[in-house]
Amino acid sequence: MRTAVIAGVADHPLRDGKLAPDGSVLAAQARVAAAALADAGIEWSDVDGLLSTGMWGVPGVGQLPTVTLSEYLGLQPRFTDSTNIGGSSFESHLASAVRAIERGDCDVALITYGSTQRSDRSRNLGGRAPVLTMQHETPYGLPTPVGGYALAAMRHMHEYGTTSEQLAEIAVATRAWAALNPAATRRELITVDDVLASPMISDPLHLLDSCLVTDGAGAVVVTSEEHARASGVTPVHVRGYGESQSHWTIAAMPDLTVPPSAASGRRALEMAGITVDDIDVVELYDSFTITVLLTLEALGFCGPGEGGDFVSGQRTAPGREFPMNTNGGGLSYAHPGMYGIFLLVEAVRQLRGECGPRQVAGARTALVNGTGGTLSSASTCVLSVA
Amino acid sequence: MNASPAERPLPVVDADSARFWAALRDRKLTVQRCGTCGRHVFYPRALCPNCHAELVDWVECSGRGTVYSYTVARRPAGPAFAADAPYVVALVDLDEGVRMLTNVVSTPLENVRIGARVVVRFTDVAEGITLPLFELAPDPLPTDSSAREGTA
């Protein structure tokens, strides 16, 4: 069986969190797709797989995103996947693309995401429509999605004594990484006090515990190792992947301190045949600071309840012992609604050694963990260069 | 909760939930109880999520529970809740063993704590719609054994 690898990645330039140059959500994806293909040294005519999802064009053409996007891009793919499990979708798309290429269902798979939510001013904290299962939550006014994460943070603080200062450490360290990334939206350094002094949104989460609201678009090209080498690019291998989902309504989350990345991470690491000790760089979905802390525990980088201590003392900042969210993350680089594809883009760039001042020296193996919904879904990938 | 009925997102009652909402109009908080495994189930649905038997039986709850977690919404969940902010949204574990999202409407907000005992307060929010909100119970707080470390 042939081996599938990542051959190219791209993200769309932003200015003040908006697409630069501006364009529709379809134009943004077309541009990043072209850039990722150029990065891979692969022609449009070789693309025969398309994986994409999003919140754009719903209701309407966005309900069938790969069909709409294929037409816009002038593609007639023989393999598509529009799985939507929230922000973690793109880690699942990567696994799906790998399987498709290994089986021979397609030869070049293009994964895209785009959003113009900031330009559109389309976000507020309103909940999901109060139909079906959500009729039992939306009427109570939980700010969405921050409120669900706030409930988890409050519970973690109650059970383990985790503090707002410890959560703030994550935002501070992530901003320090963003300061090293010219493409990041927010680059001015912040302190723990700045985070604690920022407006409280939903106790105990402050504004600076929360991700940005930006536009954005990203693309990943997956193909066979043979094709990638023929194109002259450094192939990034997908050593393992895993997926898990535990709930959609927050009341149904079995334990508010244990996200489904506990299961997805275990599966990915087992498939890769490695442990967390073998990971050089970590890219974790950071919708909120608590998302990161819970994920670190769930993946086994520290024990249950130890996340607060783990991130203290700026341990995850540039130059420190645990390089994490090295592009500045959803907290400071960009967060266009569903962030997962940017975790993959940054991990690939780190493994290819392209990150300049924020490059993690000797990065050979990366762990990427996407989180979707309200800690609802998780998808983990282990990537490496030979 | 002062949001006007016209603005507030109201539950869209369906065949699964009609009996639940009808009982609330009669000031009764009811949940399903699985006749096979004995588990109480919330929200209403066709099959038990534990043993997948068909759910047939309903029971009336005591209306008492314990706060599992909560948040104070300083920013509202959209314009419909703007007049209410700040307000408490909580996960309450009913004594029957099910967890539900709700509001704890007692003031001051600072009195709401994880582990606090609460009791249902039926609140009419629109024609035919009564929400099971909660308030702090008058009885003293129970010993809270849910913290996993020390006496935090």
Side-chain angles (χ1 to χ4, degrees), chain A residues 135 139 141 151 159-160 202-203, chain B residues 8 17 69 71 87 146 148:
Chain A
Q135 72 184 278
L151 290 167
E159 292 193 18
Y160 299 113
S202 188
D203 295 20
Chain B
R8 184 176 189 130
S17 66
S69 193
T71 183
Y87 55 92
S146 58
R148 293 186 194 177

Side-chain angles (χ1 to χ4, degrees), chain A residues 82-151:
Chain A
S82 53
T83 297
N84 190 344
I85 55 171
S88 55
S89 297
F90 310 93
E91 283 67 39
S92 292
H93 288 178
L94 176 60
S96 177
V98 165
R99 289 189 293 267
I101 286 162
E102 289 176 347
R103 284 195 308 259
D105 291 343
C106 66
D107 291 318
V108 174
L110 174 64
I111 307 172
T112 72
Y113 174 69
S115 169
T116 52
Q117 64 169 14
R118 183 173 183 87
S119 295
D120 299 343
R121 300 173 182 270
S122 60
R123 289 297 292 258
N124 66 31
L125 300 177
R128 291 141 184 146
V131 301
L132 299 174
T133 60
M134 274 297 153
Q135 72 184 278
H136 301 291
E137 298 212 332
T138 303
Y140 304 100
L142 186 68
T144 302
V146 60
Y149 289 86
L151 290 167

